Amino acid sequence: MKITVRRRLAPYVLAASLLAGIQFSFPGSAQASWNDIVEGWERYSNLPDEVNRLHESYQQTQEQLKQAQENLKSYQEQNTQLLEQNRKLTETVTELTRLQQRREAALHRNKIIFWTSLALLVGYFVLIRLMRYMMKRKSDRL
């Protein structure tokens, strides 16, 4: 039984002695490689935290994108409503302009009717006076 234990432990002892020999023969490079291994292990152990931070950042970015899309939809709806209001206002302004033009045309027509009527009335009185004068003059001659 002791022989089987020795056979099982032999490769481990050999590997450990080789590593120790390499470390003693190259003390600076072994220390550097050990530091590299430790740093690699630390980076590897910190990966889950970084992944979690990246995942949280991704979630926040998705939330912000969703919010921006909702804002865009609301702006589009507001834009549609404003365009509709603008169209209605344009129609109202057009209608009011047309009504104003009709009023001005009616006022102009009424002015013409008034001045024409006044001219006819004045002309009638002048014509009557002129006819009376002419008739009086003719009757005085006779």
Side-chain angles (χ1 to χ4, degrees):
M1 191 151 236
K2 286 187 176 187
I3 296 176
T4 57
V5 172
R6 283 185 189 168
R7 283 187 184 168
R8 285 186 185 169
L9 289 178
Y12 296 115
V13 170
L14 182 63
S17 63
L18 279 176
L19 283 174
I22 290 173
Q23 188 173 5
F24 288 125
S25 61
F26 305 109
S29 65
Q31 184 66 28
S33 67
W34 178 253
N35 287 338
D36 289 342
I37 291 171
V38 170
E39 286 177 17
W41 179 255
E42 286 176 357
R43 274 189 257 150
Y44 179 74
S45 65
N46 289 335
L47 281 179
D49 292 335
E50 289 183 35
V51 169
N52 286 337
R53 275 189 276 130
L54 288 173
H55 183 68
E56 289 173 5
S57 174
Y58 176 74
Q59 292 294 333
Q60 288 176 346
T61 304
Q62 279 187 331
E63 292 285 328
Q64 290 173 351
L65 178 63
K66 195 176 202 180
Q67 185 70 26
Q69 288 173 341
E70 289 173 2
N71 287 343
L72 180 64
K73 284 182 182 180
S74 69
Y75 290 147
Q76 286 174 341
E77 290 172 2
Q78 287 177 351
N79 190 26
T80 304
Q81 291 173 353
L82 289 174
L83 286 173
E84 182 64 24
Q85 286 178 354
N86 190 20
R87 185 188 61 79
K88 288 179 181 178
L89 286 173
T90 303
E91 288 176 2
T92 304
V93 167
T94 303
E95 184 65 27
L96 289 173
T97 304
R98 227 177 343 173
L99 287 173
Q100 182 67 26
Q101 288 172 349
R102 283 183 191 169
R103 276 191 216 117
E104 288 174 0
L107 181 64
H108 182 68
R109 186 185 73 230
N110 290 339
K111 283 181 181 179
I112 290 175
I113 289 172
F114 173 75
W115 289 112
T116 304
S117 300
L118 186 63
L120 285 173
L121 189 62
V122 168
Y124 172 73
F125 284 113
V126 168
L127 183 63
I128 287 178
R129 293 288 176 195
L130 190 60
M131 283 175 61
R132 280 185 184 173
Y133 176 73
M134 298 286 272
M135 286 171 62
K136 188 175 178 183
R137 217 168 171 218
K138 213 177 203 192
S139 71
D140 283 342
R141 275 194 204 166
L142 288 171

